[in-house]
Amino acid sequence: LRQIKDLFHASADERRAHLVSVTGIAGIGKSRLVWEFYKYFDGLAQVIYWHRGRCPSYGEGVTYWALADMVRMRCRISEEEPSDAIMTKLGGVLDAHVTDPDERAFVEPRVAHLLGVEGGGRFEREDLFSAWRLFFERLADVYPTVLAFEDMQWADASLLDFIEHLLEWSRNSPLYVITAARPELVDKRPTWGAGKRNFTSLYLEPLGDAAMRTLLDGLVAGLPEGLAAQILARSEGVPLYAVETVRMLLDRGHVVQQGSVYRATGPVETLEVPETLHALIAARLDGLSAEERLVVQNGAVLGKTFTKDALAALAATGPSAYDTILAGLVRKEVLSIQADPRSPEHGQYGFLQDLMRRVAYETLSRRDRRLRHLAAAVHLEATAGDDDELVEVLAAHYLDAYQAVPDADDADDVRSRARELFVRAADRAESLGAPREAQRYYAQAADLADDDLGRAELLDRAGQMATRSGVAEEAEARFAEAIAIYSAAGDTHAAARVTSRLAYVDERAGRHALAIERMTGALAVIGADAPDEDVALLTVRLANAELFVGQRERASELIERALDMGEALGLPEILVRGWSAKSILVAPMRRREAEMLMRWAADLALERGLTERAGAALGNLSDLAFGRDRYQDALGYLERSLELAHRTGDLPNTWFATSESTYALYHLGRWDDAMAAFVELPEEQLPSGHVLISPLTSVLPIHLYRGELDAARALRDVYARLETSVDIQERSCYAAGCAVLALAEGRYDEALERGEEAVATQGLMGAWPQNVKQGLVAVVEAALVLGRRDKVDELLAIVEGQPPGLRTPLMAAHAHRFRGRLAEGDDADADFDAAEQLLGDLGIPFWLAVTQLEHAESLLRRGRDSWALADEARATFERLRAAPWLERLEALRTPVPEATS
């Protein structure tokens, strides 16, 4: 507790966000620790904004429930308030804290959406995250703000994403986040807190014997030594065991409360203490009266917290009938009542320990469970009306009722209702930018489908959400099952539609040959049918796949066919995909046309809300900018693409934009930023290659130019699979990475060979994609060392022989640089000057510094002053921490010993 307090005061004083993750097994004291932290604020003169949210276990978690609870607490909104009352109370808080009109207009509808108030619109994930973050930031602008999340082992994945987003973007706000969870949280999110500077992890270990004995003595004065020893031996350091034992003694009248402690009423040496905590709680339940046990069992069906009205609905009695029983259960410390008037759960009852709820639930027969779940669902439906905020909980009640007695007379109706609710839950999760939760709900709905075709449709939707979440194996399994069902039913178009989605997953994983095989087979089945969206989508996706394995004529034919269908049928997505593919096709010789086509694709995608396609088109625009050495423009496109991917929770496009940005940052001299971006890429995704290959032409050379050979070798090995890829771009990037590594290691013949492999692919994406540029520089450097002047002239002729409209400034600069090194006497200066001018205009500091160094070396050999150039190069190399180049600079100042006779 002292450590948590100290971290809180440090974050508040320094106005920075901090996350404390408290982990421990059930009963170890996590909730008590959070409560003690809350009570600590009572003694502070400073006002603290406190928010508590609990992640419900029912229905495998409810999307963002704990976060919504915190907003309700701040706005004094109860769980059952109507929409107009919610908006009034929310508006009051926003009036006080979000005073900028534009910001208010952005925040209000998105926070209302979190609370289940539908305004008729759908919001992208990043928009929602930004609005929710701003809500808490504006609170923190007034007073330090605490967000306490309990039971985080049940948190939905998107809530974990939001907390990480909050810490990253609100790092300069006094926001203090504390999470309490069982160890299962780490299984759900192994990287929880990894790499975060503002993160502290606390694991609550079992108490030692001395601390447990102090706890027992504090609870019950005069506890007999034999019984105390028995409790200590069986508790194994878990405070809850000792507390539940004392509660059992209280239930049975062996102890009585006197003030703040309990005292034994007489000898209790004969009490049989159950060996396990589970058995201990079961023994406590056995000691309750029949009426009390019924209330506890009904409450267990409702969840960890519940209302008197809900209890009454399960037993068809009035709420007042439970007052005496509930008061007794609170007195016996089986239940607690939420007394905080600010809590949205004010007046609700809840289990002091979730383990008590679980044990009570297990005592119910399957038929009793079914009846109670159905009653709970009917009550919640009547309470919620058209509000979908509780739809996940409703779906789970119907599912549990169905699974309890699947052969009941009305089982089909119950199953159908559960399926309908899971689909609504999935739609809601998707609208909240939570594709992982949407995927789970669609999959659950599919398992409850009445017919095969209905199941296939839901599996397809689950696969799409899994693709967006970056869960490739899950997407493959869902798509494959849907295809099998459609094929068996003879629905060839639906099978082809899903096949194209499965092929996309294959491509992401680098299985290009398999993707092409799948799509070619599907097109053979439906290609001759009347054109429709399924035929068009399959055609354009196959065209794109063929293009990247070098089948340009086949790709061109398919692209034109797809564009014809897109125009004739008015299909925006097909036009976007077709223009994008055609742009890539014509880029080698008609770059401006390629850029125009890609802009059309991006603009139409944005206009029609095709966010994923817009992100991909913007990424391709960045690649075209790379080809013309406009690295700042390229970075701008990638930042827009990244923003779109964040909005929809699209992890694959997030990774793509992040990967590509490393290349722009490398050339712009922002090497630390490039390395930071690279760290954000999941290591397990890198070997798949495909859209994550830029690090071979950015991060790998940064390692080399900083003298970090081992790191460069390790990165090359990560991508070793690309050596035999059928994707020309993948194979070429790998060859370019191997070339510069071999050059740095002094293996010049290998550098020349691998570099030429990269250069040979220049016709695919334009004359000078990044892999070709890197490969050509490595080849020329190796050829110079090997004395292969013929090879140098051959390669420079390729650069210098390009038509003016296809030349790239960076390669022209390299050509001048190499000509300067080959020139004799003062003729070298003109070439070096031209290279320096081009590189300076491009804003590429590293290669400018290299050119300045080489120019200085040339001047020094001719006995001329070179120190101004050397000093400029030194400043750049020092900033970039390019150690090998600094060593080479130092050699300029080392006098050459005179020869002796």
Side-chain angles (χ1 to χ4, degrees), residues 170-202:
S170 304
R171 62 183 65 179
N172 295 321
S173 293
L175 282 165
Y176 191 76
V177 181
I178 181 169
T179 63
R182 296 179 194 168
E184 299 94 278
L185 173 62
V186 180
D187 297 332
K188 179 181 288 188
R189 183 64 62 92
T191 59
W192 180 240
K196 298 285 191 299
R197 290 170 295 179
N198 51 349
F199 173 82
T200 301
S201 178
L202 299 177

mmCIF file of all heavy atoms in Angstrom, residues 170-202:
data_model
loop_
_atom_site.group_PDB
_atom_site.id
_atom_site.type_symbol
_atom_site.label_atom_id
_atom_site.label_comp_id
_atom_site.label_asym_id
_atom_site.label_seq_id
_atom_site.Cartn_x
_atom_site.Cartn_y
_atom_site.Cartn_z
ATOM 1 N N SER A 170 -1.737 9.938 -22.834
ATOM 2 C CA SER A 170 -1.981 10.880 -21.735
ATOM 3 C C SER A 170 -0.815 10.894 -20.758
ATOM 4 O O SER A 170 -0.997 11.127 -19.568
ATOM 5 C CB SER A 170 -3.273 10.497 -20.998
ATOM 6 O OG SER A 170 -4.360 10.435 -21.872
ATOM 7 N N ARG A 171 0.352 10.647 -21.266
ATOM 8 C CA ARG A 171 1.509 10.487 -20.382
ATOM 9 C C ARG A 171 1.809 11.739 -19.570
ATOM 10 O O ARG A 171 2.447 11.660 -18.518
ATOM 11 C CB ARG A 171 2.740 10.086 -21.201
ATOM 12 C CG ARG A 171 3.168 11.116 -22.242
ATOM 13 C CD ARG A 171 4.347 10.604 -23.060
ATOM 14 N NE ARG A 171 3.971 9.449 -23.862
ATOM 15 C CZ ARG A 171 4.811 8.815 -24.677
ATOM 16 N NH1 ARG A 171 6.057 9.192 -24.762
ATOM 17 N NH2 ARG A 171 4.395 7.796 -25.396
ATOM 18 N N ASN A 172 1.344 12.908 -20.018
ATOM 19 C CA ASN A 172 1.622 14.150 -19.300
ATOM 20 C C ASN A 172 0.423 14.646 -18.491
ATOM 21 O O ASN A 172 0.324 15.827 -18.180
ATOM 22 C CB ASN A 172 2.079 15.237 -20.281
ATOM 23 C CG ASN A 172 3.403 14.890 -20.940
ATOM 24 O OD1 ASN A 172 4.295 14.361 -20.292
ATOM 25 N ND2 ASN A 172 3.522 15.164 -22.230
ATOM 26 N N SER A 173 -0.488 13.739 -18.182
ATOM 27 C CA SER A 173 -1.642 14.067 -17.349
ATOM 28 C C SER A 173 -1.554 13.275 -16.043
ATOM 29 O O SER A 173 -1.123 12.109 -16.054
ATOM 30 C CB SER A 173 -2.952 13.720 -18.052
ATOM 31 O OG SER A 173 -3.160 14.533 -19.187
ATOM 32 N N PRO A 174 -1.991 13.860 -14.921
ATOM 33 C CA PRO A 174 -1.943 13.129 -13.641
ATOM 34 C C PRO A 174 -3.056 12.095 -13.548
ATOM 35 O O PRO A 174 -3.993 12.220 -12.755
ATOM 36 C CB PRO A 174 -2.081 14.243 -12.598
ATOM 37 C CG PRO A 174 -2.852 15.308 -13.285
ATOM 38 C CD PRO A 174 -2.435 15.263 -14.730
ATOM 39 N N LEU A 175 -2.963 11.094 -14.391
ATOM 40 C CA LEU A 175 -3.916 9.988 -14.416
ATOM 41 C C LEU A 175 -3.247 8.766 -13.805
ATOM 42 O O LEU A 175 -2.183 8.329 -14.267
ATOM 43 C CB LEU A 175 -4.336 9.675 -15.849
ATOM 44 C CG LEU A 175 -5.375 10.597 -16.491
ATOM 45 C CD1 LEU A 175 -5.406 10.394 -17.997
ATOM 46 C CD2 LEU A 175 -6.744 10.342 -15.893
ATOM 47 N N TYR A 176 -3.851 8.224 -12.779
ATOM 48 C CA TYR A 176 -3.277 7.086 -12.068
ATOM 49 C C TYR A 176 -4.223 5.910 -12.239
ATOM 50 O O TYR A 176 -5.380 5.957 -11.815
ATOM 51 C CB TYR A 176 -3.118 7.433 -10.590
ATOM 52 C CG TYR A 176 -2.294 6.453 -9.787
ATOM 53 C CD1 TYR A 176 -0.915 6.436 -9.890
ATOM 54 C CD2 TYR A 176 -2.907 5.570 -8.914
ATOM 55 C CE1 TYR A 176 -0.152 5.570 -9.129
ATOM 56 C CE2 TYR A 176 -2.160 4.686 -8.149
ATOM 57 C CZ TYR A 176 -0.777 4.687 -8.264
ATOM 58 O OH TYR A 176 -0.018 3.818 -7.513
ATOM 59 N N VAL A 177 -3.740 4.858 -12.890
ATOM 60 C CA VAL A 177 -4.559 3.683 -13.170
ATOM 61 C C VAL A 177 -4.060 2.531 -12.316
ATOM 62 O O VAL A 177 -2.861 2.235 -12.305
ATOM 63 C CB VAL A 177 -4.492 3.302 -14.664
ATOM 64 C CG1 VAL A 177 -5.372 2.083 -14.947
ATOM 65 C CG2 VAL A 177 -4.917 4.474 -15.545
ATOM 66 N N ILE A 178 -4.967 1.906 -11.594
ATOM 67 C CA ILE A 178 -4.606 0.731 -10.808
ATOM 68 C C ILE A 178 -5.515 -0.408 -11.227
ATOM 69 O O ILE A 178 -6.743 -0.242 -11.319
ATOM 70 C CB ILE A 178 -4.693 1.019 -9.285
ATOM 71 C CG1 ILE A 178 -4.281 -0.225 -8.486
ATOM 72 C CG2 ILE A 178 -6.059 1.527 -8.864
ATOM 73 C CD1 ILE A 178 -4.082 0.053 -7.007
ATOM 74 N N THR A 179 -4.936 -1.545 -11.535
ATOM 75 C CA THR A 179 -5.716 -2.705 -11.955
ATOM 76 C C THR A 179 -5.452 -3.846 -10.993
ATOM 77 O O THR A 179 -4.318 -4.079 -10.585
ATOM 78 C CB THR A 179 -5.351 -3.150 -13.383
ATOM 79 O OG1 THR A 179 -3.975 -3.560 -13.426
ATOM 80 C CG2 THR A 179 -5.577 -2.020 -14.382
ATOM 81 N N ALA A 180 -6.498 -4.558 -10.631
ATOM 82 C CA ALA A 180 -6.394 -5.724 -9.756
ATOM 83 C C ALA A 180 -6.871 -6.941 -10.523
ATOM 84 O O ALA A 180 -7.965 -6.926 -11.098
ATOM 85 C CB ALA A 180 -7.227 -5.529 -8.497
ATOM 86 N N ALA A 181 -6.041 -7.975 -10.562
ATOM 87 C CA ALA A 181 -6.384 -9.129 -11.398
ATOM 88 C C ALA A 181 -5.760 -10.391 -10.846
ATOM 89 O O ALA A 181 -4.735 -10.356 -10.155
ATOM 90 C CB ALA A 181 -5.915 -8.915 -12.834
ATOM 91 N N ARG A 182 -6.374 -11.501 -11.182
ATOM 92 C CA ARG A 182 -5.760 -12.805 -10.925
ATOM 93 C C ARG A 182 -4.685 -13.057 -11.985
ATOM 94 O O ARG A 182 -4.665 -12.392 -13.021
ATOM 95 C CB ARG A 182 -6.817 -13.899 -10.958
ATOM 96 C CG ARG A 182 -7.864 -13.757 -9.869
ATOM 97 C CD ARG A 182 -8.907 -14.861 -9.982
ATOM 98 N NE ARG A 182 -10.079 -14.552 -9.175
ATOM 99 C CZ ARG A 182 -11.232 -15.208 -9.251
ATOM 100 N NH1 ARG A 182 -11.369 -16.202 -10.121
ATOM 101 N NH2 ARG A 182 -12.251 -14.867 -8.489
ATOM 102 N N PRO A 183 -3.823 -14.046 -11.767
ATOM 103 C CA PRO A 183 -2.733 -14.301 -12.730
ATOM 104 C C PRO A 183 -3.212 -14.615 -14.140
ATOM 105 O O PRO A 183 -2.433 -14.507 -15.087
ATOM 106 C CB PRO A 183 -1.998 -15.497 -12.109
ATOM 107 C CG PRO A 183 -2.273 -15.384 -10.642
ATOM 108 C CD PRO A 183 -3.684 -14.864 -10.545
ATOM 109 N N GLU A 184 -4.503 -14.992 -14.307
ATOM 110 C CA GLU A 184 -4.996 -15.313 -15.648
ATOM 111 C C GLU A 184 -4.891 -14.128 -16.607
ATOM 112 O O GLU A 184 -4.902 -14.311 -17.825
ATOM 113 C CB GLU A 184 -6.465 -15.743 -15.589
ATOM 114 C CG GLU A 184 -6.723 -16.982 -14.743
ATOM 115 C CD GLU A 184 -7.119 -16.639 -13.319
ATOM 116 O OE1 GLU A 184 -6.209 -16.376 -12.513
ATOM 117 O OE2 GLU A 184 -8.328 -16.630 -13.016
ATOM 118 N N LEU A 185 -4.796 -12.915 -16.062
ATOM 119 C CA LEU A 185 -4.662 -11.743 -16.937
ATOM 120 C C LEU A 185 -3.433 -11.868 -17.822
ATOM 121 O O LEU A 185 -3.460 -11.501 -18.999
ATOM 122 C CB LEU A 185 -4.586 -10.460 -16.103
ATOM 123 C CG LEU A 185 -4.272 -9.174 -16.880
ATOM 124 C CD1 LEU A 185 -5.355 -8.880 -17.909
ATOM 125 C CD2 LEU A 185 -4.108 -7.995 -15.934
ATOM 126 N N VAL A 186 -2.355 -12.400 -17.264
ATOM 127 C CA VAL A 186 -1.116 -12.527 -18.032
ATOM 128 C C VAL A 186 -1.281 -13.554 -19.146
ATOM 129 O O VAL A 186 -0.662 -13.436 -20.210
ATOM 130 C CB VAL A 186 0.055 -12.897 -17.105
ATOM 131 C CG1 VAL A 186 1.355 -13.024 -17.891
ATOM 132 C CG2 VAL A 186 0.208 -11.851 -16.012
ATOM 133 N N ASP A 187 -2.116 -14.564 -18.915
ATOM 134 C CA ASP A 187 -2.388 -15.521 -19.989
ATOM 135 C C ASP A 187 -3.141 -14.846 -21.127
ATOM 136 O O ASP A 187 -2.906 -15.123 -22.302
ATOM 137 C CB ASP A 187 -3.219 -16.696 -19.458
ATOM 138 C CG ASP A 187 -2.474 -17.504 -18.396
ATOM 139 O OD1 ASP A 187 -1.231 -17.522 -18.452
ATOM 140 O OD2 ASP A 187 -3.128 -18.091 -17.519
ATOM 141 N N LYS A 188 -4.072 -13.954 -20.777
ATOM 142 C CA LYS A 188 -4.857 -13.247 -21.789
ATOM 143 C C LYS A 188 -4.023 -12.221 -22.530
ATOM 144 O O LYS A 188 -4.171 -12.031 -23.728
ATOM 145 C CB LYS A 188 -6.049 -12.557 -21.115
ATOM 146 C CG LYS A 188 -6.926 -11.756 -22.059
ATOM 147 C CD LYS A 188 -8.075 -11.090 -21.322
ATOM 148 C CE LYS A 188 -9.115 -12.083 -20.882
ATOM 149 N NZ LYS A 188 -10.326 -11.448 -20.328
ATOM 150 N N ARG A 189 -3.132 -11.521 -21.826
ATOM 151 C CA ARG A 189 -2.318 -10.458 -22.421
ATOM 152 C C ARG A 189 -0.880 -10.600 -21.894
ATOM 153 O O ARG A 189 -0.477 -9.928 -20.954
ATOM 154 C CB ARG A 189 -2.901 -9.094 -22.081
ATOM 155 C CG ARG A 189 -2.186 -7.888 -22.687
ATOM 156 C CD ARG A 189 -2.253 -7.857 -24.195
ATOM 157 N NE ARG A 189 -3.595 -7.750 -24.706
ATOM 158 C CZ ARG A 189 -4.196 -6.579 -24.983
ATOM 159 N NH1 ARG A 189 -3.569 -5.444 -24.780
ATOM 160 N NH2 ARG A 189 -5.416 -6.563 -25.482
ATOM 161 N N PRO A 190 -0.083 -11.522 -22.497
ATOM 162 C CA PRO A 190 1.281 -11.763 -21.992
ATOM 163 C C PRO A 190 2.156 -10.513 -21.998
ATOM 164 O O PRO A 190 3.099 -10.413 -21.210
ATOM 165 C CB PRO A 190 1.825 -12.825 -22.960
ATOM 166 C CG PRO A 190 0.613 -13.466 -23.550
ATOM 167 C CD PRO A 190 -0.430 -12.406 -23.616
ATOM 168 N N THR A 191 1.843 -9.561 -22.877
ATOM 169 C CA THR A 191 2.676 -8.354 -22.988
ATOM 170 C C THR A 191 2.154 -7.210 -22.132
ATOM 171 O O THR A 191 2.575 -6.066 -22.317
ATOM 172 C CB THR A 191 2.736 -7.898 -24.455
ATOM 173 O OG1 THR A 191 1.398 -7.628 -24.918
ATOM 174 C CG2 THR A 191 3.363 -8.973 -25.326
ATOM 175 N N TRP A 192 1.231 -7.498 -21.204
ATOM 176 C CA TRP A 192 0.616 -6.453 -20.391
ATOM 177 C C TRP A 192 1.697 -5.641 -19.670
ATOM 178 O O TRP A 192 2.458 -6.157 -18.866
ATOM 179 C CB TRP A 192 -0.336 -7.084 -19.383
ATOM 180 C CG TRP A 192 -1.042 -6.132 -18.464
ATOM 181 C CD1 TRP A 192 -0.977 -6.110 -17.101
ATOM 182 C CD2 TRP A 192 -1.956 -5.084 -18.823
ATOM 183 N NE1 TRP A 192 -1.780 -5.131 -16.588
ATOM 184 C CE2 TRP A 192 -2.398 -4.478 -17.621
ATOM 185 C CE3 TRP A 192 -2.434 -4.597 -20.030
ATOM 186 C CZ2 TRP A 192 -3.292 -3.415 -17.607
ATOM 187 C CZ3 TRP A 192 -3.318 -3.534 -20.014
ATOM 188 C CH2 TRP A 192 -3.739 -2.958 -18.825
ATOM 189 N N GLY A 193 1.769 -4.349 -20.031
ATOM 190 C CA GLY A 193 2.727 -3.451 -19.412
ATOM 191 C C GLY A 193 4.128 -3.519 -19.975
ATOM 192 O O GLY A 193 4.994 -2.724 -19.585
ATOM 193 N N ALA A 194 4.387 -4.456 -20.895
ATOM 194 C CA ALA A 194 5.750 -4.640 -21.406
ATOM 195 C C ALA A 194 6.236 -3.384 -22.125
ATOM 196 O O ALA A 194 5.530 -2.809 -22.949
ATOM 197 C CB ALA A 194 5.797 -5.832 -22.363
ATOM 198 N N GLY A 195 7.441 -2.965 -21.787
ATOM 199 C CA GLY A 195 8.060 -1.824 -22.458
ATOM 200 C C GLY A 195 7.515 -0.476 -22.064
ATOM 201 O O GLY A 195 7.908 0.544 -22.620
ATOM 202 N N LYS A 196 6.591 -0.427 -21.085
ATOM 203 C CA LYS A 196 6.008 0.850 -20.663
ATOM 204 C C LYS A 196 6.849 1.441 -19.525
ATOM 205 O O LYS A 196 7.073 0.791 -18.505
ATOM 206 C CB LYS A 196 4.559 0.654 -20.193
ATOM 207 C CG LYS A 196 3.614 0.126 -21.272
ATOM 208 C CD LYS A 196 3.274 1.223 -22.258
ATOM 209 C CE LYS A 196 2.150 0.819 -23.186
ATOM 210 N NZ LYS A 196 2.441 -0.355 -24.014
ATOM 211 N N ARG A 197 7.298 2.677 -19.720
ATOM 212 C CA ARG A 197 8.090 3.338 -18.683
ATOM 213 C C ARG A 197 7.240 3.720 -17.486
ATOM 214 O O ARG A 197 7.728 3.839 -16.374
ATOM 215 C CB ARG A 197 8.763 4.585 -19.262
ATOM 216 C CG ARG A 197 9.884 4.280 -20.251
ATOM 217 C CD ARG A 197 10.337 5.535 -20.960
ATOM 218 N NE ARG A 197 9.268 6.078 -21.805
ATOM 219 C CZ ARG A 197 9.404 7.189 -22.522
ATOM 220 N NH1 ARG A 197 10.531 7.860 -22.492
ATOM 221 N NH2 ARG A 197 8.400 7.614 -23.276
ATOM 222 N N ASN A 198 5.944 3.938 -17.713
ATOM 223 C CA ASN A 198 5.054 4.379 -16.641
ATOM 224 C C ASN A 198 4.215 3.218 -16.124
ATOM 225 O O ASN A 198 3.016 3.347 -15.911
ATOM 226 C CB ASN A 198 4.164 5.519 -17.128
ATOM 227 C CG ASN A 198 3.460 5.176 -18.441
ATOM 228 O OD1 ASN A 198 3.784 4.188 -19.094
ATOM 229 N ND2 ASN A 198 2.497 5.997 -18.831
ATOM 230 N N PHE A 199 4.850 2.063 -15.930
ATOM 231 C CA PHE A 199 4.162 0.848 -15.514
ATOM 232 C C PHE A 199 4.883 0.221 -14.336
ATOM 233 O O PHE A 199 6.108 0.124 -14.324
ATOM 234 C CB PHE A 199 4.110 -0.141 -16.685
ATOM 235 C CG PHE A 199 3.553 -1.498 -16.308
ATOM 236 C CD1 PHE A 199 2.185 -1.706 -16.250
ATOM 237 C CD2 PHE A 199 4.390 -2.558 -16.030
ATOM 238 C CE1 PHE A 199 1.667 -2.948 -15.919
ATOM 239 C CE2 PHE A 199 3.886 -3.801 -15.699
ATOM 240 C CZ PHE A 199 2.520 -4.000 -15.641
ATOM 241 N N THR A 200 4.111 -0.179 -13.312
ATOM 242 C CA THR A 200 4.664 -0.882 -12.158
ATOM 243 C C THR A 200 3.821 -2.124 -11.912
ATOM 244 O O THR A 200 2.588 -2.045 -11.875
ATOM 245 C CB THR A 200 4.644 -0.005 -10.892
ATOM 246 O OG1 THR A 200 5.408 1.185 -11.143
ATOM 247 C CG2 THR A 200 5.239 -0.748 -9.709
ATOM 248 N N SER A 201 4.475 -3.265 -11.779
ATOM 249 C CA SER A 201 3.781 -4.519 -11.522
ATOM 250 C C SER A 201 4.029 -4.944 -10.080
ATOM 251 O O SER A 201 5.174 -4.980 -9.621
ATOM 252 C CB SER A 201 4.275 -5.603 -12.483
ATOM 253 O OG SER A 201 3.635 -6.832 -12.217
ATOM 254 N N LEU A 202 2.942 -5.239 -9.374
ATOM 255 C CA LEU A 202 3.042 -5.713 -7.989
ATOM 256 C C LEU A 202 2.359 -7.073 -7.895
ATOM 257 O O LEU A 202 1.189 -7.210 -8.266
ATOM 258 C CB LEU A 202 2.351 -4.732 -7.027
ATOM 259 C CG LEU A 202 2.908 -3.307 -6.971
ATOM 260 C CD1 LEU A 202 2.067 -2.471 -6.024
ATOM 261 C CD2 LEU A 202 4.351 -3.311 -6.527
#
